[in-house]
Amino acid sequence: MSSEPAPAPASASTEELEADLSAATISKKQLKKDARKAEKAGKASQRQQQQQPQAEEADPFAANYGDVPVEEIQSKAISGRSWTDIGDLDEAAAGRSVLIRGSAQTLRPVSKKMAFVVLRQSMSTVQCVLVASADAGVSTQMVRFATSLSKESIVDVEGVVTLPKEPLKATTQQVEIQVRKVYCINRAIPTLPINLEDAARSEAEFEKAEQNGEKLVRVLQDTRLNYRAIDLRTPANQAIFRIQCHVENKFREFLFLENFIGIHSPKLIGGSSEGGASVFKLEYNGQPACLAQSPQLYKQMSICGGFGRVFEVGPVFRAEKSNTHRHLCEFIGLDAEMEIKEHYFEVCDIIDGLFVAIFKHLNENCQKELETINRQYPFEPLKYLEKTLKLTYEEGIKMLKEAGTEIEPMGDLNTEAEKKLGRLVKEKYGTEFFILYRYPLAVRPFYTMPCYDDPAYSNSFDVFIRDTTYEVFSCS
Amino acid sequence: MSSEPAPAPASASTEELEADLSAATISKKQLKKDARKAEKAGKASQRQQQQQPQAEEADPFAANYGDVPVEEIQSKAISGRSWTDIGDLDEAAAGRSVLIRGSAQTLRPVSKKMAFVVLRQSMSTVQCVLVASADAGVSTQMVRFATSLSKESIVDVEGVVTLPKEPLKATTQQVEIQVRKVYCINRAIPTLPINLEDAARSEAEFEKAEQNGEKLVRVLQDTRLNYRAIDLRTPANQAIFRIQCHVENKFREFLFLENFIGIHSPKLIGGSSEGGASVFKLEYNGQPACLAQSPQLYKQMSICGGFGRVFEVGPVFRAEKSNTHRHLCEFIGLDAEMEIKEHYFEVCDIIDGLFVAIFKHLNENCQKELETINRQYPFEPLKYLEKTLKLTYEEGIKMLKEAGTEIEPMGDLNTEAEKKLGRLVKEKYGTEFFILYRYPLAVRPFYTMPCYDDPAYSNSFDVFIRDTTYEVFSCS
């Protein structure tokens, strides 16, 4: 909750309390009395302030709206009322009286007697309609109160669900709420550093506006990061975080069912965790330490320790001064490690099944999230096969060669070649997800096993998803 | 897998390969040929070495045992054989032929013609019996080979499952394997720094031995940590890690079903994340940075960012020089944060339900793990109620006072008082899990809301489990 805790009355500071209470128990009662008296006085003056505008015009429906005083949200009582999630409001709810809580996204006065308020909760928005009417208990003062709220204020609305005559374009939910009561839990400051509408626009909307000679406000990355709590409220960000959580859930579930155990390896370590990458160094009680740049060795220790199969989801720290779309100083790694019984394809099969399970899970459980992201950042659905395509490295460079890109047969693929291979595979096999295996040993690090039939190649594979490669090393 | 990758033949170092290949394609073929030739020569000499002892005595069953050469575990082929988990071997498997892979825990020669080998996989052990017999294809050389293995070597056994005449005390599985084939995948060094039997003993076993005048080896903490990959193999450690994973799984599942979203907040941050605790400082590209000592502010930003309810499982770093059982420099925090609609008991109820769900899950799904831990570290099952007991702080100090412990009414409970209260509650209510709420405001930090009816108290609660308190602050 964004409301500030009410300060304790000055006459009952906690230090004084302790002093008094240690003297005698009778003073405790007196103190409580005093405290209550002070509190009541405070509440009364608060109420007076809030009701002043209404008092002027003697509104018989004054109880149906207003700012909720702090003590009312101070865990005073459990009312037993239940709130409906805005995302759950659909045609089936028509005619029902509901109570919702959301952020005031838009406030649109139509006349003295009518106004629209769009409330948002996570990715969902609903239109609330205020029409002054004695039957409904809605006064013109109440309409004015509602439109006087600042954007992004937290608002409770009680009302009846109705179906609109025409489809609503501005909200996700295709119902309206005929408002009976409206209370503001917490007012936002009148001018916010980010306007949510600006932060939620797609490139297409910017282009369209430009073509019409309009100039729309762009919220740049710095502003977004400086006011992250506001930027997070855009529907796309709400959806992205939910999808991240779903990916992690499915990753854990799939591997757990395949007898993997989730571990958490140390992040504060005494040495550097993998050769090559540079590390963040720090002081640990007078001794040099660094942040783990990979759980690799700990995963291997777990396997050596008898766990058979382990996974880890946790932060990875990289101090490299690299600046590619595949480098971040801190990211969340989804890592897995397993014993191989006789062939590294066992790992291949797990990774393959894992990715396909995640793709399916997202398609089946996150349609709303995918559509929400698609509105701001359009994308095509990922193409993948039920049985994942596996190509040898040799086949891959052959495809590239036939398409005019000559690759050093024992060299590595650069990012450009990887992307081109991705396009070629998509054209030929209709998939954006595939596995390339049997890399030249020369381009794999020290812990990769050479192929039994040709030590120039290695028991290794990488996973390709659209334009991105995920490196998976393998040894047996 | 713990086997070392085979080094590439000296005549085909990767640098030479690249140089040759860039010169002409024909050299590639030649090189491959050379490499294969070199490899074959290597294999032949390896085989000769392994077969030398058998060659002396011309064993007709030589193919049924031996060390597996590296190329055989180099992903040469997929045999299609399937391994049975040792933990799955039960009476229902009697008469079946199985293939298992495990670590050689004990090797006990009985005579030239008979030996026992106990194989271990995670928390499970099974007795393998070798009896020399032409019908079974088992020679005396094979018996000798099996007992010549070093402890903790990785071994494949093929054999027939039989039921023992008497219950087996030394193994978890109540079946035996009549060995037909035995192959060593990887030999452990002959003398290990830790003997697993020593590392797995309970205090009771040490005491009993002492009473009998025996002196058993104790593996101390330093040794355990220096050889963690071996220490992890003890059954109790195997079980503890599995239970940790189950706790995290249930934590995530319960909260996700309650509409919480899992997040990962930054661990590398620009300031200190919470007042009070000291932090690990480091340099981030020339700027001062520190490690997050709590996800608190990020969780609150997420709530403010419209997520409603979030949880996080991730590392927490504390640089305090404290030395209690409740302080660690790095630990995995299971954190949750939620919007309150009207009363902080909403949080209380979630936390209550969460803990009870975890207790139940462990009792229902981890009996084997709990029993395994109990053998080395005996404990009583946790007593908890279906409906968790909630006591006010005032009730708590009243109980302590009646039992002779005077607590400053507006002061905090020290560890000793908390433990005593835990014992009193267990006696009176029959539970070791309860919630103490309405703490004095004076002992809660700045962001706790005072009670609406008495600002000397706060909207807060702590969770007590047996001897441990988990602090949960709450404001609304």
Side-chain angles (χ1 to χ4, degrees):
Chain A
M1 296 270 303
S2 41
S3 56
E4 293 288 309
S11 64
S13 88
T14 49
E15 273 162 30
E16 281 174 32
L17 266 178
E18 280 181 344
D20 280 345
L21 287 166
S22 59
T25 49
I26 193 147
S27 67
K28 184 183 165 191
K29 278 185 189 166
Q30 187 54 43
L31 215 99
K32 272 195 177 174
K33 243 189 196 166
D34 289 353
R36 270 195 219 110
K37 221 157 115 186
E39 211 193 13
K40 273 185 187 166
K43 282 183 196 174
S45 86
Q46 219 168 1
R47 259 186 236 113
Q48 221 176 353
Q49 273 185 326
Q50 281 149 9
Q51 290 174 354
Q52 243 155 17
Q54 284 91 52
E56 285 168 21
E57 302 167 43
D59 180 0
F61 302 125
N64 292 344
Y65 62 96
D67 287 288
V68 175
V70 166
E71 67 265 26
E72 291 298 322
I73 49 168
Q74 211 172 344
S75 298
K76 196 171 169 184
I78 299 166
S79 69
R81 295 177 299 169
S82 82
W83 276 260
T84 301
D85 279 348
I86 292 178
D88 291 339
L89 291 170
D90 57 15
E91 293 174 12
R96 265 186 23 218
S97 182
V98 294
L99 168 63
I100 58 175
R101 179 173 291 174
S103 302
Q105 180 164 296
T106 53
L107 301 149
R108 190 154 58 88
V110 177
S111 69
K112 270 185 79 172
K113 293 193 154 192
M114 190 177 178
F116 294 103
V117 174
V118 172
L119 288 194
R120 189 192 66 251
Q121 190 178 22
S122 182
M123 298 179 294
S124 307
T125 48
V126 70
Q127 177 148 287
C128 303
V129 187
L130 287 110
V131 182
S133 129
D135 287 351
V138 177
S139 59
T140 53
Q141 293 95 321
M142 179 164 158
V143 174
R144 199 172 63 210
F145 167 80
T147 54
S148 77
L149 295 171
S150 44
K151 277 187 182 182
E152 296 301 310
S153 294
I154 309 288
V155 176
D156 272 8
V157 159
E158 263 184 72
V160 178
V161 180
T162 57
L163 300 179
K165 284 173 194 136
E166 293 186 15
L168 299 167
K169 282 184 188 160
T171 59
T172 59
Q173 305 312 110
Q174 291 305 307
V175 298
E176 289 179 318
I177 310 283
Q178 304 301 323
V179 180
R180 295 288 175 267
K181 291 177 181 174
V182 55
Y183 304 102
C184 183
I185 303 298
N186 195 20
R187 283 187 187 243
I189 53 168
T191 310
L192 294 170
I194 296 179
N195 188 335
L196 268 191
E197 279 168 25
D198 297 332
R201 270 192 205 101
S202 68
E203 273 309 308
E205 285 173 87
F206 282 111
E207 281 164 26
K208 201 178 157 190
E210 209 163 309
Q211 282 163 9
N212 296 342
E214 279 179 80
K215 188 80 189 156
L216 296 176
V217 172
R218 258 181 204 277
V219 186
L220 301 179
Q221 190 77 338
D222 274 7
T223 311
R224 289 184 192 269
L225 295 178
N226 284 338
Y227 302 99
R228 186 70 167 149
I230 303 178
D231 187 47
L232 282 177
R233 300 184 191 188
T234 60
N237 275 341
Q238 290 285 319
I240 289 166
F241 273 73
R242 278 174 171 72
I243 283 184
Q244 281 182 343
C245 176
H246 273 276
V247 169
E248 181 175 350
N249 283 355
K250 194 65 199 178
F251 176 86
R252 295 179 60 92
E253 184 197 285
F254 180 91
L255 293 177
F256 191 73
L257 291 175
E258 292 283 354
N259 292 319
F260 283 73
I261 301 155
I263 59 165
H264 291 282
S265 63
K267 302 307 163 204
L268 267 178
I269 55 175
S272 68
S273 50
E274 208 178 324
S278 43
V279 295
F280 288 109
K281 293 182 183 73
L282 67 153
E283 196 204 274
Y284 178 83
N285 291 326
Q287 290 172 47
C290 70
L291 295 181
Q293 59 191 288
S294 162
Q296 187 57 36
L297 297 183
Y298 289 97
K299 286 188 308 173
Q300 287 173 323
M301 277 171 68
S302 302
I303 300 306
C304 196
F307 288 108
R309 299 176 159 198
V310 296
F311 67 84
E312 175 163 2
V313 178
V316 176
F317 304 95
R318 297 279 168 97
E320 294 133 331
K321 302 236 183 291
S322 301
N323 194 14
T324 82
H325 71 295
R326 286 192 285 191
H327 284 92
L328 280 171
C329 283
E330 179 182 356
F331 60 89
I332 299 299
L334 291 98
D335 250 294
E337 191 82 17
M338 63 186 267
E339 271 179 4
I340 297 171
K341 293 288 190 197
E342 52 180 25
H343 200 294
Y344 75 102
F345 279 6
E346 294 161 26
V347 182
C348 233
D349 289 346
I350 288 283
I351 298 291
D352 171 6
L354 171 64
F355 274 95
V356 172
I358 291 172
F359 300 153
K360 281 191 180 175
H361 177 87
L362 295 183
N363 284 335
E364 286 164 12
N365 298 279
C366 301
Q367 269 314 315
K368 187 171 179 176
E369 285 80 1
L370 293 170
E371 284 161 18
T372 302
I373 297 169
N374 216 350
R375 272 195 289 277
Q376 182 164 7
Y377 307 108
F379 62 88
E380 290 296 312
L382 186 81
K383 285 191 176 179
Y384 64 93
L385 306 172
E386 278 299 309
K387 184 71 211 119
T388 300
L389 174 72
K390 268 204 294 219
L391 289 177
T392 62
Y393 189 85
E394 271 186 303
E395 289 172 284
I397 55 174
K398 196 171 154 235
M399 283 175 73
L400 283 167
K401 194 180 177 178
E402 284 166 7
T405 300
E406 200 73 46
I407 302 288
E408 165 70 61
M410 291 293 145
D412 212 348
L413 297 179
N414 59 24
T415 306
E416 204 188 323
E418 285 179 348
K419 288 192 177 186
K420 184 164 182 182
L421 181 59
R423 285 193 299 275
L424 295 172
V425 167
K426 188 180 173 188
E427 279 164 27
K428 185 168 175 185
Y429 298 99
T431 182
E432 294 172 287
F433 175 66
F434 65 99
I435 291 173
L436 197 69
Y437 70 103
R438 213 178 144 90
Y439 274 66
L441 187 67
V443 302
R444 293 279 115 159
F446 73 98
Y447 48 69
T448 304
M449 179 77 97
C451 287
Y452 82 99
D453 60 344
D454 187 349
Y457 289 95
S458 63
N459 288 341
S460 63
F461 64 97
D462 275 1
V463 161
F464 285 68
I465 306 178
R466 195 161 279 176
D467 284 344
T468 314
T469 328
Y470 294 88
E471 294 192 11
V472 185
F473 303 120
S474 177
C475 60
S476 76
Chain B
M1 295 272 302
S2 42
S3 57
E4 291 290 308
S11 62
S13 89
T14 50
E15 273 161 31
E16 281 174 32
L17 265 178
E18 279 180 344
D20 278 347
L21 287 163
S22 58
T25 48
I26 193 147
S27 67
K28 184 182 164 194
K29 278 184 191 165
Q30 187 53 44
L31 216 98
K32 272 194 179 175
K33 242 187 197 167
D34 288 353
R36 270 194 219 111
K37 221 159 114 186
E39 211 193 13
K40 272 184 189 166
K43 281 183 197 174
S45 87
Q46 220 169 2
R47 258 185 237 116
Q48 219 175 353
Q49 273 186 326
Q50 281 149 7
Q51 290 174 353
Q52 241 155 18
Q54 284 91 51
E56 285 169 23
E57 301 167 45
D59 181 1
F61 302 127
N64 293 344
Y65 61 95
D67 288 286
V68 175
V70 166
E71 67 265 24
E72 291 298 322
I73 49 168
Q74 213 172 343
S75 298
K76 195 172 168 184
I78 299 166
S79 69
R81 295 177 299 168
S82 82
W83 276 260
T84 301
D85 278 348
I86 292 177
D88 291 339
L89 291 170
D90 58 15
E91 292 174 14
R96 262 186 26 218
S97 182
V98 294
L99 169 63
I100 59 176
R101 179 172 291 175
S103 302
Q105 179 162 298
T106 52
L107 302 148
R108 191 155 57 89
V110 178
S111 68
K112 270 186 78 172
K113 296 194 154 194
M114 189 178 181
F116 295 103
V117 173
V118 172
L119 286 194
R120 190 191 67 250
Q121 190 178 21
S122 181
M123 297 179 295
S124 306
T125 48
V126 69
Q127 177 147 289
C128 304
V129 187
L130 287 109
V131 181
S133 128
D135 288 351
V138 177
S139 59
T140 52
Q141 293 94 321
M142 178 165 159
V143 175
R144 200 173 62 208
F145 167 80
T147 53
S148 77
L149 294 171
S150 44
K151 278 188 183 182
E152 296 301 311
S153 294
I154 308 288
V155 176
D156 270 9
V157 160
E158 264 183 71
V160 178
V161 180
T162 57
L163 301 179
K165 284 173 193 134
E166 291 185 15
L168 299 167
K169 282 185 188 161
T171 60
T172 60
Q173 304 314 109
Q174 292 304 307
V175 298
E176 289 179 318
I177 309 283
Q178 304 301 322
V179 179
R180 295 289 176 265
K181 291 177 182 175
V182 55
Y183 304 102
C184 183
I185 302 298
N186 195 22
R187 282 188 189 241
I189 53 170
T191 309
L192 294 169
I194 296 178
N195 188 336
L196 268 191
E197 278 168 26
D198 297 332
R201 271 194 204 100
S202 68
E203 274 307 309
E205 285 173 88
F206 281 111
E207 281 164 26
K208 200 176 157 193
E210 209 161 310
Q211 282 162 10
N212 296 341
E214 278 178 81
K215 188 82 188 156
L216 296 177
V217 171
R218 260 182 202 276
V219 186
L220 301 180
Q221 190 77 339
D222 274 6
T223 311
R224 289 184 190 270
L225 294 178
N226 284 339
Y227 301 99
R228 185 69 165 150
I230 303 178
D231 186 46
L232 283 177
R233 301 183 190 189
T234 59
N237 277 340
Q238 291 284 320
I240 289 166
F241 274 73
R242 280 175 169 73
I243 283 184
Q244 281 181 343
C245 177
H246 273 276
V247 168
E248 181 175 351
N249 283 355
K250 194 65 198 177
F251 176 87
R252 296 180 59 93
E253 184 197 284
F254 180 92
L255 293 177
F256 190 74
L257 291 175
E258 292 283 356
N259 292 319
F260 284 73
I261 300 154
I263 59 166
H264 291 282
S265 61
K267 301 307 162 205
L268 266 178
I269 56 175
S272 69
S273 50
E274 208 179 324
S278 42
V279 295
F280 287 107
K281 294 183 183 75
L282 67 153
E283 197 204 273
Y284 178 82
N285 291 325
Q287 291 172 44
C290 70
L291 294 180
Q293 58 191 290
S294 163
Q296 187 58 36
L297 297 182
Y298 290 97
K299 286 188 308 171
Q300 286 172 324
M301 277 172 69
S302 302
I303 299 306
C304 198
F307 287 108
R309 297 175 160 198
V310 295
F311 67 83
E312 175 165 2
V313 178
V316 176
F317 304 94
R318 298 278 168 98
E320 296 133 329
K321 302 233 182 293
S322 300
N323 193 14
T324 82
H325 70 295
R326 287 191 287 193
H327 285 91
L328 280 172
C329 283
E330 179 181 356
F331 60 90
I332 300 300
L334 291 99
D335 250 295
E337 191 82 17
M338 63 184 267
E339 273 177 4
I340 297 171
K341 293 288 189 197
E342 51 179 26
H343 200 294
Y344 75 101
F345 279 5
E346 295 160 26
V347 182
C348 234
D349 289 345
I350 289 282
I351 298 291
D352 171 6
L354 171 64
F355 274 95
V356 171
I358 291 173
F359 300 154
K360 279 190 181 176
H361 177 86
L362 296 184
N363 283 335
E364 286 164 12
N365 297 281
C366 301
Q367 269 313 314
K368 187 171 177 176
E369 285 81 359
L370 292 170
E371 283 161 19
T372 301
I373 296 169
N374 216 349
R375 271 194 290 277
Q376 184 165 5
Y377 308 108
F379 62 87
E380 289 296 312
L382 186 80
K383 284 190 177 181
Y384 64 93
L385 305 172
E386 277 300 308
K387 184 71 209 116
T388 299
L389 175 72
K390 267 204 293 221
L391 288 177
T392 62
Y393 189 84
E394 271 186 302
E395 289 172 286
I397 54 174
K398 196 171 155 238
M399 282 176 73
L400 283 168
K401 193 179 179 181
E402 284 167 4
T405 299
E406 202 73 48
I407 301 289
E408 166 70 63
M410 291 294 143
D412 212 348
L413 298 178
N414 58 23
T415 305
E416 203 188 325
E418 284 180 349
K419 288 193 177 186
K420 184 165 182 181
L421 180 59
R423 284 194 298 274
L424 294 173
V425 166
K426 189 180 174 189
E427 280 164 28
K428 186 168 174 185
Y429 297 100
T431 181
E432 293 172 287
F433 174 66
F434 65 98
I435 291 173
L436 197 68
Y437 70 103
R438 213 179 144 89
Y439 274 67
L441 187 67
V443 301
R444 293 281 117 158
F446 73 98
Y447 49 68
T448 303
M449 179 77 98
C451 287
Y452 83 100
D453 61 344
D454 186 348
Y457 288 95
S458 63
N459 288 341
S460 63
F461 64 97
D462 275 0
V463 162
F464 284 69
I465 306 177
R466 194 161 279 176
D467 283 345
T468 313
T469 326
Y470 293 88
E471 294 193 11
V472 185
F473 304 118
S474 176
C475 61
S476 76

